[in-house]
Structure formats: C-alpha cells, structure tokens
Amino acid sequence: MTHPRTARADRGRLATSLDWDPSDRQLHLHNGQVSLVLRVFEDGTLGQLHLGAPLPAGRSYRHLGPNPFPGFANRVGSPVPLAYATSGTGDFRVPALVAATADGATSLSLRYRDHRITAGKPAPEGLPSTYVEGPSEAKTLEITLVDEPAGIEVDLRFSMFDGRPLIARSALIRNVGAAPIDLRCAMSLSLDLPDADWHMVGLAGSWARERHVTDRALVPGRQSVSSVRGASSHEHNPFVALRRASTDEAHGEAYGFSLVYSGNFLAEVEVEPYGTARVRLGIEPSTFSWRLEPGATFPVPEAIVAYSATGLGSLSDAFHELFRDRLARGRWRDRPRPIVINNWEATYFGFDADRLVEIATTARDLGVELFVLDDGWFGARDDDTTSLGDWFVDRRKLPDGLDGLARRITELGMGFGLWIEPEMISQRSRLFEAHPDWAIGIPGRPRTESRHQLVLDMTRPEVVDHLTMVLTDVLSSAPIAYVKSDMNRNITEPFSPSLPPDRQGEFFHRYILGTYELYGRLTERFPEILFESCAGGGGRFDPGLLAFAPQAWTSDDTDAVERLSIQWGTSLAYPPSSMAAHVAAVPNHQVGRISSLSTRAAVAFFGVFGYELNPTVLEEEERAEIADQIRFYRAHRELFQRGRFVRLESPFEGDGNRVAWMSVAGDGRQAVAGLYQVLSRADPGPSRLRLRGLDPDAVYRVTTWPAYDDSLARANAGERSGAELMAAGLVLDAERWEIAVRGDFWARLFVLDAV
Ligand code: DGJ
C-alpha cells in the first residue's frame, strides 16, 4: 500500500504539459492534478472553458464554451466565460481590467494575439511571488491579448507547478500607444465558473480576533471581502475559498484563491442572472489607479488558485506546501525555528538590561533558545506616545547599548532578537522634527493619529533609503539573530506630496512597493537573520510578507481558547511553519481568562512555539512544567513546524466546545493529535475522535501528553493500527470524577509513534 505522503510525491512526478490545438484554437495546460482549458473564441476573445479537476489530454472541450458562439454582439450580457474580462463591450459582470484611454473612454476589448510556453516561472517585477528552484518544476503559459485602438497589451501568465493542484496567475499590462493610459482596475485573477452552487469561505475578524472562518452560500449579485486600510488587515484576509454545500474537510470539491499581496485587496464573487459565478481577486480598485505612460508596463500581483476534489483539508495541504517551500525563501525556509521568549507582556516598556538578562537567564535554564527584545529599546520610548523613527538605543535602559545587551544574551548560549517598526513615526521624535513631511498626511489638513503614531510615506524612495540606512546600522551593531518587524496602525489621509495630483491614486500600491523594497533589502543584507512579520498581531498575515519573512506573529491574542479559532482559521491557507504561537501569562492580558499552562502549550505547540511571559515570577513547579513543555516541543519540533496539519473538529461548527486537530510527519511515522474542550460538561458520555492522514497499514504506539495515568490514557494506551485510528478513532471515555477534575479549558495531546 502506498503511503499517503508517498502518493503525493508520486503524483508530483507528473510533469505539466500544454496541448495546443490550432484548429480548435484550444490551449489545455494540465499536470494530472488540475486542468486549465482556454480557447480563442471566434471573435478573438480569450475564453476560459475550464479550471479545476484534471481532464484528459488530447480532446476538444469546445462544447464547454458558448456554442454556437454568440459573442456579445448577438446577445449582450450573456455569461461568456472569459479569461480576463473587460467592461463596456457587452459583459456587465465585474471586470478584471478597466483602463481609461486618452479620450476618457473606458471600454476595452482584448483579443488574442499569440502565446508561448516556457519552462519555469517568471516573477512579477518588483513584487513578491512563488518561485521554482529549477525550470523543470513548472511551466508557464503566457498569452498576449491586445486592444489595438486603445494601445493596450496584456500578457496573461498561467504557471502550473508539477505535482501541485494549483496555478499561479499574473498579468503584465503594457501601454503600446502614444498617449498615457489610466488603469482603474487591474485584477490578478478572474475566473468564470459554470454554476454558483458554492459557499464562499473567508477569514474575517478584527485586532486580536483575526481569521475567524466565515461561510455563506452564494446569492445572486456581488459578495466580497476587501481591505482599504493600506494593509491586508486584521479584518479580512486576501484568501477566499469556494466549497460545495456538502464539502467538508475530507470530501468534496473546493477552490482556494490567494493573493500574494499585503495592501488593499478585493476578493469578490458575482453571481449573474443566468446562475454562473465570476470570481475576481486583486488590488482593491476603489483605492487604486495607475498612470501608464507610453511604453510603460504594470505588473499585477500574483494570485494562486488551487483546486481540490477531496475537501478543504487537501486545499490547505496545497497552499501549505507551496507557501512553506516555494513562497518562503532564504536560509530560514527549511531550518528548524528557535523557541523564543519575548519580553513584551513580561515588561511592556518598563525594563532595563539587568531585568532583561534575568528573564533571559531563567528562560535559558528552562530550554528557551532565543530572547526577543520587543518595543521600547530606542529613543525615549517609555510609552507608545513617542520615539518611533528614532532607531538609536535608549542608554537610560541599556547603558551598554544593544551590543552590550546582545552579548550578555548570547553569552548565555541564546540567540538575540529585536523588535522594530520601520514604517512608523511618532510626532514626538527626532525624525519628525527633522522630516515632518515624511509622515503621511495632506498638507494643510490635520492628520489622524492611531496609537499616537503616524505612518511614514513609503512611496518616497528617500524614506526607504533612510530606513535602509538606519536599520542596517542597527542590525549590524549587535549579534542579532531574529527580527520582529511590526506595523501597528492603518493608513489615513492617503496622500504623498511626491506624487502629482492626477497620480494620487497610485499611493496605496506604491506604499506597499516601498515596504517590499525595504523588506527585500534588509532580508538580502542579513540573510542569517530570521525575520518575523507582525502588524499589531496578525494584521498583515498574508503571502506577500511571507515571501520575505517565513513566519508571522499570528495574533496579539495569546489566550489558548481564542487561539483555537485563530489558528484553525489561519491554517486554512497558511502552514504551521508561518504561525508564531506563544504561551502567555494568566490571567490572559487580552481576555482575562485563566487556563492551565499545559492547555496554553497544547495549543501553541501547533506552530512556531515560544513564550510571552516573565518566567522569573513563576512558581518552581510552573518552571518545571515549562522545561517539560520545551523538551516535548524540541522532540517534536519538525513534526509541529513542518508536518501536515489536519483539522479534525472545528471551533466554528456546532457549539464549538470541542476542537481537535493533528500534525502528521512527512513520512507518516509520527503524529500528534490535540484535543481541546472549552467548557466542561457533566457526564458527557463516551465518544471518539477519528483521526485522518495516518498510514492505514502502520501500527502506532499511542501515549498522551501530559502523561497522566487516567482513564483517557489507559483506554488508548498500546498499539493501534492507522486504519483503526482513522475508522474507529481514539476512545474518549472518562470516569465522571475525572471529568470534574478536568474543569474548563482542558486539553490533551495524543502522541502516535509507528512501531
Ligand atoms: C504589537 C505586537 O503585536 C505586540 O506583540 C508588540 O510587539 C507590540 N506591538 C509592541 O508595540
């Protein structure tokens, strides 16, 4: 019997190929996992007949398009499936591309000119993207569409990765005319599906409540999620999925759509009157315009579309593997990530070097590997009203400088990490005194503060150059192994004096390009530093930043129960290797809840683990417990960080009281399942927890963590076949008195080792 993991690797050997049938003018790109069928219609427009389940090669799919082909001339408004839709010429659905030509007209009609197939995958210029390590990993179909009277050419790119059920889409828009063109909407993806019997799944929330799963049946009209905050945001994520009503984690059809972008985005589905659905994903058009001068090009961000016939779980597998292995880059991509302790919730702004070293020393003795100095080390920052932008050390707190502190930490045998917030400026700062015009705002009008801070104008090259210089100095000044790069507010009064009035619509996109430029420079100059992105927790947890920083601070909410929802939702698109998850003090600083140390760890283990508390004030017993947690995590680090994450019981279904998930090692020889119960209920009766993703033929020894000798441990102790664990499940019976002892916020891990 082939092991599931091996089976996936085998499928990986099916190379991507393109069939081009010149008589039918049909292009079929396929890799055995997914098929894309495009056809040049009779009027020259590029139709998209199919994207999804793999279809046999060498056949005509012409009949999947409108037949006989009516175009829009015959019946305006008919739902012709198009690869890159425009407006004004008979298609009244939401467009992919809107551009105003010199005469002010906005009607476009793109016609096929030619196409090419190349080995490998190009990167959209100046933008983060997924990549290949060699040309044999993917093939890219590039199709040029033209609107000659408008002077616009579009290179549509479809990159298909061998062995992955997904496609990366991007486009390069070119002005080949003699006059400037104003882009008003330039989507990364537009996909017409033949029916609308889907549920739209999204990740919504707010600060400290990020990426909760939303799920609604599509209805006629437009439904969307978006951000206009200048960041991908806490509120919505540039990821949506479509699932059939019957699709669950392990069965049924689903599509996933993800935008490799960190700024304003729109993900929208329109159900039109004949019951078809159009999906579009890209830069949010109401806060975007772009002047394209003659000869200039505009690359749109990359979008990823994944298809699954076997549930949301397989969809997540595809995104996890791609984002972990071919979006994240650099030396830390594949390395085990260190267990950190962060001083933020331990001290906030109130620390000095000795206090930090005391925390670090205690943490080191428990097994923690890296100490992170958070906010408050620079300028004169004793609270959040001052000093952002003044990236020089506060010698009142750290008399021997960053270097002095970092050396004391590294002498303990720990790595030293540092918090920065490059894009921000405080009004009370030397930087603001010197460059008040570098803060975003509209001259002559008040600026809106948030967390007492303003945002630097990252559209300006001199600002990015300045930040590169000062942060290069900071990062070179001490042995720094890790950087947490934060961003704590959204953008108001979007305006840059460096842009002419008719180009202010470029502001938000240019802001993100400037941010990427800075991230790119710093990560290239300091390849040994592990970068973690952050935005007041998970306010910019998106594929754009994951291309620079392989992990992100998942949420400021460190409460174990809250984290069940946040980590579950995040895992729809993002792998555990990207999710920083820490054990924090109780009562929890965000919700006041008191949960046990072991429950907090049992949740945080399923990510990049660490601590966010002061170990010096804990009882001896608690410290011993932490030492045990760290031993356990170290022994299973590879599994937790790089294993296959399988969602079992959702916090978003039923009453959400019982939650379960698991990590399965790449070779299937080891797994850890986490079971969580929010509130205790009297006499719940016996139940089971059916596992997934195991090798059915393997026999696993089952133990529990923490290793209590109770009926739960005894009922499951011993050896069980993978087949039994998946079909019958773990046995969750417990004595009544044991249920009472557990109380609320209870968790237990089941450790499975193949014998
Ligand atoms: C927001 C982050 O999410 C926190 O972890 C902490 O770094 C603070 N900012 C510091 O200001």
Side-chain angles (χ1 to χ4, degrees):
M1 172 92 195
T2 319
H3 181 264
R5 194 78 186 181
T6 327
R8 284 212 299 281
D10 285 348
R11 289 201 308 259
R13 293 196 195 105
L14 274 176
T16 303
S17 44
L18 175 77
D19 302 339
W20 163 236
D21 176 349
S23 58
D24 241 0
R25 300 213 289 176
Q26 173 185 289
L27 293 146
H28 181 187
L29 194 64
H30 51 92
N31 66 359
Q33 304 268 297
V34 66
S35 269
L36 166 72
V37 182
L38 303 167
R39 183 166 175 267
V40 183
F41 289 139
E42 283 68 12
D43 67 351
T45 51
L46 184 66
Q48 187 158 264
L49 302 186
H50 174 83
L51 172 58
L55 297 177
R59 302 189 63 82
S60 167
Y61 295 103
R62 175 190 196 117
H63 48 278
L64 297 181
N67 205 11
F69 178 74
F72 290 111
N74 188 25
R75 208 171 70 194
V76 163
S78 60
V80 177
L82 295 172
Y84 205 58
T86 52
S87 58
T89 49
D91 184 348
F92 298 113
R93 295 164 291 178
V94 288
L97 179 67
V98 180
T101 41
D103 53 8
T106 54
S107 301
L108 290 180
S109 189
L110 292 171
R111 297 284 188 269
Y112 168 89
R113 190 174 71 192
D114 56 13
H115 73 267
R116 301 154 288 288
I117 180 97
T118 49
K121 176 181 181 297
E125 202 187 312
L127 284 162
S129 61
T130 59
Y131 60 91
V132 288
E133 290 209 317
S136 62
E137 286 188 6
K139 289 204 175 57
T140 297
L141 168 63
E142 188 174 85
I143 303 168
T144 301
L145 306 177
V146 211
D147 182 327
E148 275 179 17
I152 292 185
E153 282 181 8
V154 179
D155 293 336
L156 283 187
R157 289 175 182 156
F158 302 84
S159 298
M160 193 176 277
F161 297 83
D162 293 4
R164 298 184 196 268
L166 44 81
I167 288 187
R169 278 195 60 165
S170 64
L172 187 71
I173 302 163
R174 226 179 349 263
N175 181 350
V176 290
I181 287 170
D182 281 324
L183 297 179
R184 298 201 179 152
C185 168
M187 287 284 135
S188 300
L189 166 149
S190 144
L191 172 64
D192 291 336
L193 295 169
D195 70 75
D197 296 332
W198 300 96
H199 283 232
M200 181 175 172
V201 180
L203 303 174
S206 68
W207 171 79
R209 196 158 46 77
E210 299 92 336
R211 290 174 299 285
H212 282 215
V213 177
T214 61
D215 190 304
R216 51 184 152 154
L218 293 182
V219 292
R222 293 159 64 168
Q223 38 250 286
S224 65
V225 293
S226 62
S227 169
V228 293
R229 295 166 181 263
S232 50
S233 85
H234 297 90
E235 287 72 15
H236 295 287
N237 195 264
F239 169 84
V240 290
L242 293 180
R243 68 167 184 94
R244 297 291 185 190
S246 58
T247 295
D248 60 16
E249 284 293 331
H251 313 92
E253 266 196 309
Y255 285 94
F257 304 92
S258 169
L259 187 67
V260 186
Y261 193 59
S262 310
N264 293 346
F265 75 93
L266 170 71
E268 183 165 46
V269 185
E270 179 176 9
V271 178
E272 56 73 58
Y274 297 98
T276 73
R278 170 169 290 171
V279 184
R280 65 173 185 162
L281 178 64
I283 297 176
E284 203 283 324
S286 77
T287 51
F288 166 82
S289 67
W290 195 272
R291 170 67 50 88
L292 208 54
E293 297 293 344
T297 54
F298 181 80
V300 306
E302 176 172 296
I304 311 292
V305 193
Y307 172 77
S308 163
T310 49
L312 292 169
S314 308
L315 199 70
S316 299
D317 290 343
F319 280 109
H320 289 189
E321 290 171 19
L322 182 75
F323 289 172
R324 188 190 62 210
D325 301 333
R326 292 293 180 269
L327 174 66
R329 35 174 60 75
R331 300 195 187 155
W332 279 99
R333 184 188 73 183
D334 302 334
R335 286 186 192 165
R337 310 283 169 71
I339 300 169
V340 309
I341 186 157
N342 179 304
N343 75 308
W344 178 240
E345 291 194 3
T347 65
Y348 293 103
F349 296 102
F351 58 80
D352 60 26
D354 289 342
R355 188 153 180 231
L356 298 177
V357 171
E358 195 194 353
I359 291 172
T361 308
T362 311
R364 187 276 317 266
D365 293 345
L366 305 179
V368 172
E369 297 158 340
L370 190 142
F371 172 83
V372 185
L373 172 55
D374 210 281
D375 196 352
W377 59 266
F378 51 91
R381 189 157 161 94
D382 295 330
D383 57 34
D384 60 13
T385 62
T386 166
S387 299
L388 289 167
D390 293 348
W391 300 111
F392 47 83
V393 73
D394 180 351
R395 294 217 174 240
R396 295 171 308 154
K397 292 180 186 174
L398 306 177
D400 300 322
L402 273 181
D403 186 43
L405 174 67
R407 289 201 184 282
R408 287 175 73 185
I409 302 287
T410 51
E411 276 161 18
L412 295 172
M414 301 176 96
F416 177 71
L418 191 69
W419 178 97
I420 54 176
E421 192 178 8
E423 298 152 67
M424 297 294 151
I425 180 166
S426 304
Q427 300 230 38
R428 287 173 53 206
S429 67
R430 291 196 201 165
L431 185 65
F432 190 81
E433 276 167 30
H435 298 285
D437 58 317
W438 282 8
I440 292 172
I442 306 169
R445 297 202 218 166
R447 294 179 172 107
T448 305
E449 277 200 356
S450 172
R451 208 199 187 201
H452 311 290
Q453 63 196 58
L454 300 172
V455 187
L456 282 170
D457 183 354
M458 299 295 285
T459 72
R460 293 167 71 162
E462 64 271 34
V463 172
V464 176
D465 289 345
H466 167 82
L467 290 171
T468 309
M469 190 183 68
V470 292
L471 292 172
T472 298
D473 284 351
V474 169
L475 300 183
S476 319
S477 72
I480 293 170
Y482 161 109
V483 162
K484 176 179 173 188
S485 190
D486 206 346
M487 194 281 291
N488 277 296
R489 62 157 288 180
N490 291 142
I491 294 174
T492 54
E493 293 84 34
F495 181 90
S496 176
S498 67
L499 293 170
D502 57 353
R503 296 188 81 142
Q504 290 295 332
E506 299 177 17
F507 174 85
F508 277 114
H509 185 56
R510 286 189 183 276
Y511 178 93
I512 281 298
L513 294 180
T515 303
Y516 287 150
E517 177 67 26
L518 180 66
Y519 258 96
R521 290 180 190 177
L522 294 178
T523 49
E524 257 168 46
R525 275 193 204 174
F526 299 96
E528 277 303 324
I529 292 182
L530 169 59
F531 279 79
E532 175 170 305
S533 76
C534 175
R540 227 169 31 182
F541 200 125
D542 58 57
L545 282 186
L546 285 180
F548 299 99
Q551 61 187 62
W553 182 223
T554 309
S555 176
D556 272 351
D557 192 340
T558 45
D559 172 67
V561 174
E562 296 274 303
R563 276 289 183 128
L564 290 173
S565 301
I566 295 168
Q567 291 176 207
W568 177 286
T570 305
S571 81
L572 249 60
Y574 305 103
S577 59
S578 66
M579 268 190 247
H582 296 174
V583 170
V586 290
N588 178 267
H589 291 202
Q590 291 73 36
V591 296
R593 185 176 284 122
I594 297 178
S595 57
S596 69
L597 252 183
S598 70
T599 292
R600 282 173 270 158
V603 177
F605 281 156
F606 288 84
V608 180
F609 187 62
Y611 291 85
E612 191 98 3
L613 46 68
N614 184 353
T616 66
V617 299
L618 297 180
E619 302 292 331
E620 205 45 58
E621 269 173 27
E622 294 174 307
R623 284 204 282 265
E625 222 182 312
I626 288 181
D628 175 62
Q629 293 173 353
I630 292 174
R631 273 193 296 277
F632 182 79
Y633 188 78
R634 278 183 165 169
H636 300 90
R637 179 178 350 221
E638 173 78 10
L639 173 63
F640 284 127
Q641 293 184 356
R642 299 184 61 81
R644 179 179 173 209
F645 187 76
V646 180
R647 294 179 297 267
L648 299 172
E649 295 192 14
S650 169
F652 300 104
E653 280 168 24
D655 65 3
N657 200 49
R658 193 167 101 173
V659 177
W661 56 41
M662 62 192 284
S663 271
V664 188
D667 63 2
R669 305 290 297 166
Q670 199 177 47
V672 175
L675 173 69
Y676 311 91
Q677 182 180 269
V678 179
L679 294 181
S680 187
R681 304 253 156 89
D683 195 18
S687 68
R688 302 275 180 80
L689 176 64
R690 287 175 66 178
L691 305 183
R692 289 206 319 278
L694 299 172
D695 178 353
D697 294 336
V699 172
Y700 296 91
R701 192 179 51 249
V702 182
T703 53
T704 62
W705 185 94
Y708 303 128
D709 179 21
D710 57 6
S711 50
L712 196 59
R714 285 192 295 275
N716 294 289
E719 295 179 0
R720 302 287 164 93
S721 73
E724 182 200 324
L725 289 165
M726 293 193 286
L730 292 162
V731 176
L732 303 185
D733 304 1
E735 301 281 352
R736 285 181 181 168
W737 67 267
E738 285 174 343
I739 300 284
V741 168
R742 286 179 190 171
D744 293 340
F745 324 130
W746 170 88
R748 199 69 174 274
L749 303 185
F750 297 88
V751 183
L752 280 56
D753 289 291
V755 292

